Amino acid sequence: MSEQTVKKEIVEPLLTWYNAVKRNLPWRDKDNAYYTWVSEIMLQQTRVEAVKPYFNRFISRLPDIQSLAICPEEELMKLWEGLGYYSRVRNMQKAAIQIVEQYDGHLPKDFEKLLSLKGIGRYTAGAIASIAYRIPVPAVDGNVLRVVTRLTENPQDIMKTAVRTEIEKQLSDIIPVLAPGDFNQALMELGAMVCVPSGSPKCNICPVKEFCRAYISGHQEAYPVKAKKKSRSIEERTVLVIQDGCCTVLRKRPGKGLLAGLYEFPNRLGYYSRTQVLSYVRDLGLDPLYIRELPDSKHIFSHIEWRMKAYQIKVASLDGELTQDFFFAGREETQQHYAIPSAFGAYLKYLREA
Ligand code: SF4
């Protein structure tokens, strides 16, 4: 066995530690593959504590795969509002339809079949298979990669697929057949609570420190090795909160691309002056009465960053229709039916002022 291989000796202390400290989570120890699936998808971009209320709301409205498969799109987006990366929930619904049609509404008890479902990658398939169905396959996410590369002082770039595949292989060799789900969750939990991503890892309370090469050499923070991501492009935008006496102007975004199918305030590429804003508002067929600047904000997507300037514009009530797919929506109507992505979160409070 090479020095850069995870040692089988970690299994027992890791499981003992996990059973003693594991957090009580609404999806944990429920023997429900759907719960595991929903929680894992939500957790891909969001912390555990923040996911809990979203998970509970989602499950109480969509308690099983059948209900997810038939949920109207607008309602689905509304249930996901605030979690971001909406393509995840769209893919979940596509997979749910596939599961109803092909597997009688149950997630298949097979790693490869899970992997063939829309939006389910190797990590999620491994998590569902091991946690819900006790199939001994690893589930390697960023937390697990960090723990393993520290345990083994693996100097390779974890962004490379070949490196992930090799780590999966190593874990497959030691995963306990009687408790594969606990083992995977223990590694994830260790990564989240002890072998943390920012700041120093808490090696003094780590159950596997005696098997950790990085701890022994004192080089914990040199791992994992990760190639630098390409820098994000910056996009300057002007956001317009246009309101008459009771409603705010919104628009549905196109069905493809960034924030597809969600609702937005009118916004323009580039920074607009007051004069340019007023002229644009008139072009929409509206009669502006008052304009004021709102605070700037920014939103970071994976590959792009929006830097936003914003204006609130009061307009005279309109009898006819607006141009360019825009429409007026009341506050309650917006809260109930229109999912506005968190990119515009800084301006949602002005809906109250319509
Ligand atoms: S000893 Fe420290 S670096 Fe090693 S796995 Fe534990 S927390 Fe991580």
Side-chain angles (χ1 to χ4, degrees):
M1 187 190 294
S2 118
E3 281 295 290
Q4 276 176 17
T5 304
V6 199
K7 292 190 168 69
K8 199 174 178 60
E9 287 85 341
I10 68 164
V11 174
E12 219 184 291
L14 190 61
L15 288 176
T16 307
W17 169 82
Y18 174 67
N19 283 312
V21 305
K22 67 180 173 184
R23 290 170 285 178
N24 186 12
L25 303 174
W27 51 86
R28 191 165 265 171
D29 296 329
K30 295 283 190 293
D31 270 341
N32 184 320
Y34 175 60
Y35 286 11
T36 308
W37 180 31
V38 172
S39 63
E40 288 300 340
I41 299 291
M42 287 185 172
L43 287 164
Q44 280 171 12
Q45 308 287 344
T46 314
R47 287 176 308 104
V48 166
E49 286 308 313
V51 160
K52 282 186 197 171
Y54 287 106
F55 176 84
N56 289 332
R57 188 179 64 170
F58 195 92
I59 291 297
S60 65
R61 168 61 190 93
L62 305 175
D64 51 33
I65 290 175
Q66 285 80 359
S67 53
L68 170 58
I70 58 169
C71 180
E73 185 196 355
E74 311 265 278
E75 190 178 355
L76 194 60
M77 295 303 108
K78 209 59 200 161
L79 284 168
W80 206 259
E81 191 178 36
L83 282 167
Y85 298 91
Y86 289 78
S87 57
R88 291 180 295 161
V89 71
R90 290 181 198 282
N91 285 339
M92 276 181 75
Q93 187 170 50
K94 286 181 189 148
I97 294 168
Q98 214 179 329
I99 295 164
V100 169
E101 287 170 356
Q102 293 176 16
Y103 302 109
D104 202 20
H106 300 287
L107 278 151
K109 293 183 181 178
D110 179 292
F111 178 79
E112 295 299 330
K113 286 183 181 158
L114 286 167
L115 205 50
S116 73
L117 295 168
K118 190 86 182 163
I120 296 191
R122 296 187 70 77
Y123 165 74
T124 311
I128 298 169
S130 63
I131 297 169
Y133 296 141
R134 297 184 177 81
I135 298 171
V137 286
V140 177
D141 68 349
N143 280 331
V144 174
L145 285 169
R146 181 172 58 260
V147 172
V148 171
T149 53
R150 285 175 174 170
L151 284 170
T152 57
E153 287 201 299
N154 186 334
Q156 300 180 83
D157 176 6
I158 57 161
M159 300 311 283
K160 290 190 174 152
T161 310
V163 175
R164 290 175 177 233
T165 307
E166 166 56 23
I167 288 175
E168 274 184 14
K169 161 87 182 57
Q170 289 188 25
L171 292 172
S172 298
D173 291 343
I174 65 165
I175 193 165
V177 287
L178 292 178
D182 279 0
F183 177 74
N184 285 336
Q185 289 181 95
L187 276 176
M188 296 172 204
E189 195 90 338
L190 191 73
M193 312 285 291
V194 178
C195 198
V196 289
S198 36
S200 303
K202 301 167 187 167
C203 302
N204 56 329
I205 57 162
C206 177
V208 292
K209 62 175 181 279
E210 65 181 292
F211 309 106
C212 178
R213 293 187 66 205
Y215 171 67
I216 292 163
S217 73
H219 293 137
Q220 300 93 317
E221 285 164 62
Y223 306 94
V225 173
K226 218 192 260 188
K228 273 218 165 67
K229 279 192 189 163
K230 276 196 228 140
S231 60
R232 292 187 187 93
S233 57
I234 307 276
E235 217 172 80
E236 296 177 343
R237 292 202 156 259
T238 304
V239 176
L240 308 177
V241 181
I242 305 172
Q243 297 171 313
D244 67 3
C246 65
C247 299
T248 304
V249 176
L250 297 178
R251 179 174 68 166
K252 189 170 186 175
R253 288 180 65 86
K256 285 208 158 62
L258 189 69
L259 306 175
L262 301 173
Y263 289 83
E264 65 180 358
F265 298 110
N267 59 91
R268 310 295 295 161
L269 198 55
Y271 289 150
Y272 274 37
S273 66
R274 282 170 182 253
T275 313
Q276 287 171 307
V277 168
L278 292 172
S279 145
Y280 175 71
V281 171
R282 284 190 193 100
D283 287 347
L284 292 180
L286 292 164
D287 179 14
L289 305 173
Y290 160 90
I291 179 169
R292 70 164 174 143
E293 270 182 54
L294 298 179
D296 296 351
S297 75
K298 72 174 176 184
H299 187 80
I300 297 172
F301 298 96
S302 53
H303 59 293
I304 196 168
E305 178 176 327
W306 279 3
R307 300 222 175 131
M308 292 170 277
K309 291 203 170 297
Y311 295 89
Q312 185 178 38
I313 306 107
K314 298 283 180 189
V315 296
S317 296
L318 184 75
D319 288 334
E321 301 255 308
L322 276 167
T323 58
Q324 302 180 28
D325 305 330
F326 291 111
F327 63 96
F328 276 105
R331 181 159 58 96
E332 299 226 327
E333 186 190 355
T334 305
Q335 274 167 352
Q336 283 172 20
H337 301 297
Y338 304 128
I340 300 178
S342 51
F344 297 102
Y347 305 114
L348 290 178
K349 62 183 173 201
Y350 299 103
L351 286 171
R352 283 197 299 270
E353 296 180 17

